[in-house]
Amino acid sequence: MNRRHFLGHTAAFAAAPIVADEKQTRVIDCNLHLGRHPNRDLPQVDSAFLSKHHIDQAWAGSFEALLHRDIAAVNQRLAVACKHQPRLRPAGSIHLLLPAWKDDFNRCVDTHGMNILRLHPSHHGYTLDDPSFTQLLELASARQVLVQIVTQLEDQRTQHPLTQVAPVDLKPLTEIMKRVPSARVMLLNANAAMVTKTLQGSTNLWLDMAMIEGVGGVENLLKSWPTEKLCFGSHAPFFYWESSALKLQESVLTSEQLVAVQQGNAQALL
Amino acid sequence: MRIWDLHCHLSGVAGLTPEDRLSELLRYADRVGIERLCIYMGMKWAQDPTPDDLVKQNDEVLRALDKHSDRAFGFVYLSAKHIERSLSELERCVANGPMLGVKLWVAQHCNVPEIDPIIARAAELKAVIFQHTWFKTNGNYVGESTPDDLVALAKRFPKVPIICGHTGGTWELGLRAIRDQKNLFADLAGSDPTWGITEMAVRELGADRIIYGSDSGGRSFASQLAKVHGAQISEADKQKIFCDNLRGLMLPILEAKGIKA
């Protein structure tokens, strides 16, 4: 096959639109971060960033929540940042091993009006079978708050040696969610192995796709995971935003699946 | 943008035969605009392959290439632990066969002197040489090379271009390690699409020493393409990284074999 033949008979020219076309479908990105990362200098998520990537709405947590102990101040700064950028929806962080963490929950929900909360179990040093996690789910369920669990932030092989954390062990999750059936949980940065091993059949559980890997990875995941439980997430700016966008182009998805993953499922969640 | 993918495998992708798996890879490559794939290693890997394993895996690549020679290039899988068989495989698959490059993985550190005859013969054949490397925070495999190991090898062959696979994975370290060894090229494949890899690579090595690869089928093409599509570098540099640098390394052997690409 010569090059002209290749270009004529493949979707080569379709590669550009997902990262550059002004008419591209707009997305809700469930997995963005603001604030300073502890050991990387990353681009700012600002209005220009959102516009460049056609992001209608982004659910933003804060990198500062990973290591800061004054998490109330982290959430306060996040709330202020999101007030200045209407496309950002703040996902405040709760650290379940801090004294009086329920006050942080109340401040996030009542003072800041947040309806998404983000947990970092590995960075904060607890497992999902910690009783406080079930308590948090009960509180969130009562207030109709979506709980995002960051299952991992970075490949263990490349982590800074002084901040090494393992992925969250998801095995207890299915049983815990049976005890709080109305709780809604979204796993961020889960990979396909984590999901297929432990979470098949779980209800009220959503995933983002930032760390769904392998050739045709999203398409393959959807052979065993319900489309309505998968949402677009980029893990930007830690990851190049284009990674998740191009995954949707690489996988063979119906137009209904595409719309659901890019926007519809996230819209329905809130 | 013309895109060649330096780093593809027949594992992690559906298909019962090597040719079916390569067909499947190409089906997805088409969807994201990749023109050519370099493939190496067979359907079932071994970290420390026996001589017969090497032959079997190379046979599988040859079988896949037979069907898709217009879209794929093959690299012969060799091991510094089995020099005699590696040299005979080099003759069979590259000197007398259709393959264009050499793949060295994790059986043996690449700084050992035993590897030298492989590098010397590959250079005579103008074959592209690819050495896997990682700097893993949680520890490398026993025989897994680091970029530092590769620098030691590259110093012994200063005129032979060698590709530093994965740029050491932990690229902030890998790029620093190889920066001053000018015959080393950085492969972007197979690590998470963490922001900044390509920008730092261009800053530290220059765009002429960086090559796009995916490490598919274990990786998506998408996450690895994003490292270049999403990088804050010039379009001209992106074109170098996506195709021109690899094509430049391959041209001598392509021309020697009379292949137009």
Side-chain angles (χ1 to χ4, degrees), chain A residues 102-252:
Chain A
K102 289 177 186 171
D103 286 347
D104 291 318
F105 177 92
N106 291 332
R107 288 191 207 186
C108 283
V109 176
D110 297 328
T111 307
H112 302 311
M114 295 175 181
N115 55 3
I116 309 167
L117 294 176
R118 200 169 278 190
L119 303 180
H120 300 275
S122 293
H123 278 83
H124 293 169
Y126 61 88
T127 57
L128 297 187
D129 47 19
D130 190 300
S132 58
F133 174 64
T134 304
Q135 291 170 30
L136 183 276
L137 284 190
E138 287 167 349
L139 285 173
S141 171
R143 303 297 303 271
Q144 296 186 305
V145 169
L146 173 68
V147 176
Q148 294 186 317
I149 301 173
V150 179
T151 63
Q152 54 186 340
L153 269 177
E154 181 176 359
D155 186 337
Q156 287 184 280
R157 297 173 299 175
T158 63
Q159 290 176 7
H160 192 288
L162 297 182
T163 53
Q164 294 183 72
V165 292
V168 176
D169 179 1
L170 298 174
K171 285 191 202 82
L173 188 57
T174 302
E175 284 307 310
I176 291 167
M177 290 191 68
K178 281 180 187 166
R179 296 203 292 270
V180 194
S182 56
R184 294 173 309 147
V185 172
M186 175 182 281
L187 301 178
L188 301 182
N189 299 336
N191 60 40
M194 295 164 89
V195 173
T196 51
K197 274 184 191 166
T198 56
L199 299 173
Q200 289 296 345
S202 297
T203 54
N204 278 355
L205 191 60
W206 284 258
L207 306 177
D208 93 313
M209 48 175 284
M211 288 201 184
I212 301 300
E213 270 294 350
V215 165
V218 174
E219 175 187 342
N220 289 331
L221 175 74
L222 292 180
K223 289 172 183 167
S224 59
W225 187 262
T227 301
E228 62 271 20
K229 295 293 174 65
L230 181 68
C231 297
F232 184 94
S234 68
H235 193 23
F238 193 88
F239 280 3
Y240 288 104
W241 186 88
E242 288 79 0
S243 171
S244 283
L246 283 161
K247 285 177 185 174
L248 293 181
Q249 179 170 324
E250 180 175 316
S251 281
V252 180

Side-chain angles (χ1 to χ4, degrees), chain B:
Chain B
M1 201 69 75
R2 195 174 188 190
I3 305 174
W4 288 13
D5 191 324
L6 165 69
H7 192 153
C8 300
H9 303 294
L10 298 174
S11 62
V13 60
L16 295 176
T17 66
E19 58 270 30
D20 285 350
R21 290 190 181 192
L22 182 50
S23 298
E24 190 73 351
L25 282 177
L26 287 166
R27 186 167 72 87
Y28 289 107
D30 285 347
R31 295 183 58 78
V32 289
I34 301 172
E35 181 185 336
R36 300 266 184 172
L37 307 181
C38 296
I39 59 166
Y40 26 93
M41 304 168 71
M43 294 170 62
K44 189 177 176 188
W45 293 5
Q47 287 186 2
D48 189 0
T50 65
D52 289 345
D53 280 337
L54 292 171
V55 173
K56 182 174 184 296
Q57 294 198 47
N58 291 329
D59 280 345
E60 289 172 352
V61 172
L62 287 168
R63 189 171 153 183
L65 288 176
D66 201 37
K67 184 174 177 186
H68 294 291
S69 60
D70 57 340
R71 296 289 305 279
F73 302 125
F75 285 24
V76 62
Y77 181 28
L78 306 178
S79 166
K81 275 195 172 171
H82 307 295
I83 295 301
E84 205 170 306
R85 187 64 68 90
S86 289
L87 289 172
S88 67
E89 282 295 280
L90 194 48
E91 294 305 309
R92 180 175 78 100
C93 298
V94 179
N96 303 311
M99 294 198 196
L100 305 176
V102 166
K103 165 65 186 272
L104 293 152
W105 197 35
V106 298
Q108 178 66 284
H109 287 271
C110 65
N111 56 352
V112 298
E114 292 84 355
I115 204 171
D116 287 4
I118 294 176
I119 304 300
R121 180 60 181 146
E124 283 173 4
L125 295 170
K126 303 182 176 68
V128 175
I129 301 168
F130 179 103
Q131 171 65 57
H132 166 105
T133 68
W134 263 88
F135 276 131
K136 290 176 179 165
T137 303
N138 49 358
N140 280 20
Y141 300 131
V142 173
E144 189 171 27
S145 300
T146 66
D148 287 335
D149 295 333
L150 186 58
V151 168
L153 172 65
K155 283 182 189 298
R156 301 204 295 270
F157 294 90
K159 292 186 178 167
V160 178
I162 304 176
I163 297 169
C164 178
H166 307 288
T167 311
T170 305
W171 42 269
E172 298 99 321
L173 306 183
L175 289 168
R176 294 172 66 92
I178 68 171
R179 177 174 50 200
D180 295 335
Q181 193 60 40
K182 305 293 186 191
N183 56 325
L184 289 180
F185 289 72
D187 159 45
L188 295 181
S191 55
D192 280 344
T194 310
W195 191 90
I197 178 175
T198 312
E199 287 86 347
M200 181 179 173
V202 170
R203 188 188 77 220
E204 295 297 327
L205 306 185
D208 293 338
R209 289 174 61 195
I210 308 163
I211 299 174
Y212 156 76
S214 64
D215 207 1
S216 60
R219 287 282 179 179
S220 62
F221 290 116
S223 64
Q224 308 302 303
L225 287 166
K227 293 174 179 173
V228 187
H229 277 309
Q232 293 172 12
I233 58 174
S234 71
E235 292 298 300
D237 283 350
K238 288 181 182 180
Q239 183 59 78
K240 288 180 180 178
I241 295 166
F242 268 143
C243 177
D244 296 354
N245 296 337
L246 174 59
R247 187 167 175 271
L249 286 182
M250 297 186 94
L251 270 179
I253 193 165
L254 287 169
E255 286 171 358
K257 286 178 176 285
I259 300 170
K260 289 188 177 174

Side-chain angles (χ1 to χ4, degrees), chain A residues 32-46 60-66 68 73-75 77-79 81-82 88 118 236-238:
Chain A
L32 257 85
H33 313 268
L34 305 184
R36 294 186 74 85
H37 185 274
N39 60 288
R40 290 181 188 276
D41 185 21
L42 301 170
Q44 288 292 311
V45 173
D46 54 17
S62 174
F63 282 128
E64 295 167 6
L66 299 176
H68 284 225
V74 170
N75 289 330
R77 286 194 293 275
L78 178 68
C82 291
L88 293 177
R118 200 169 278 190
F238 193 88

